[in-house]
Amino acid sequence: MNLADLLDSVGGTESLGKIAGSLGLDSAQTTQMVSALAPALMGALQKQTTSEDGLSSLKNALQTGRHQDYLDRPDLISSQESVADGNNILGHLLGSKDASRNVAAQAAESTGISASLIKQALPLIAGLAMGAVSKNSDGGKKLDDSAGDLFGDFGPDDALDLAKKFF
C-alpha cells in the first residue's frame, strides 16, 4: 500500500486537503507531492522495522503519540504543535535537517513544486504518515503482522537504497 492509499484508507484526505489549502496547492499538486515524498518517508519508517530496537522505538512512538489526532481532527494539522511534532518525526526518521532538505529538494525536482513549499509540508505529511500507520496498525499493536502491507513494496534493500540516496 502506498502512502496516498494508506492516508485515504484511514480518512486522511481531509487533513491532506488542509495542508494543500494552507500552501495554495491544488489536489493534483498535492498528489504529486505526496507521491514524491512517500518513498523517503515510508522507506525510513520501514527501515525502523528492520531492527528490534527500531521496531520497539516505532511501536512506542505509535502507542504513546497522538498522531491519529491529525486524521481524526484535520483542523489540528496546521498547528504549531503539529509542525513541531512532524519535525521531531523527521528528525527521528531521517536523522538530520540536511536529510530533510535533500528529500524536499528531490521532491521539488520531480514535481516542479517549490522546495520551500515542500519543506513546509514535509513535517505535516510526516505527522499524517505516522497517524496513518498508527491507525492502520491499532496504535502499533499490529505492526509485526502488517509492516509489509503498511510500508508498500519496499524491501529492506530498498529502504537502504533510499537511505543512501537521501542521506
Side-chain angles (χ1 to χ4, degrees), residues 6-149:
L6 181 59
L7 287 170
D8 188 47
S9 74
V10 295
T13 308
E14 188 176 346
S15 296
L16 200 52
K18 294 272 187 190
I19 294 171
S22 72
L23 298 174
L25 300 175
D26 63 30
S27 62
Q29 290 171 309
T30 304
T31 300
Q32 286 179 320
M33 181 176 59
V34 170
S35 295
L37 294 173
L41 292 175
M42 299 307 277
L45 279 165
Q46 185 180 39
K47 186 178 176 188
Q48 292 291 309
T49 67
T50 60
S51 75
E52 190 60 40
D53 288 342
L55 180 60
S56 176
S57 176
L58 179 58
K59 284 174 126 179
N60 184 54
L62 293 171
Q63 291 170 0
T64 60
R66 296 181 40 209
H67 311 296
Q68 290 184 36
D69 288 352
Y70 305 137
L71 301 166
D72 298 334
R73 297 182 50 209
D75 55 305
L76 294 178
I77 194 61
S78 296
S79 72
Q80 289 300 324
E81 183 180 325
S82 299
V83 172
D85 186 36
N87 280 323
N88 288 336
I89 292 166
L90 289 172
H92 185 74
L93 293 178
L94 303 179
S96 72
K97 287 186 180 191
D98 286 338
S100 292
R101 288 182 193 115
N102 289 340
V103 169
Q106 190 76 24
E109 187 177 306
S110 69
T111 64
I113 299 168
S114 82
S116 65
L117 286 179
I118 292 175
K119 284 183 215 175
Q120 289 175 35
L122 189 54
L124 303 176
I125 292 173
L128 278 180
M130 283 291 284
V133 170
S134 179
K135 199 166 197 174
N136 204 15
S137 68
D138 192 20
K141 294 174 190 159
K142 298 180 192 173
L143 195 56
D144 293 333
D145 301 326
S146 60
D149 291 339

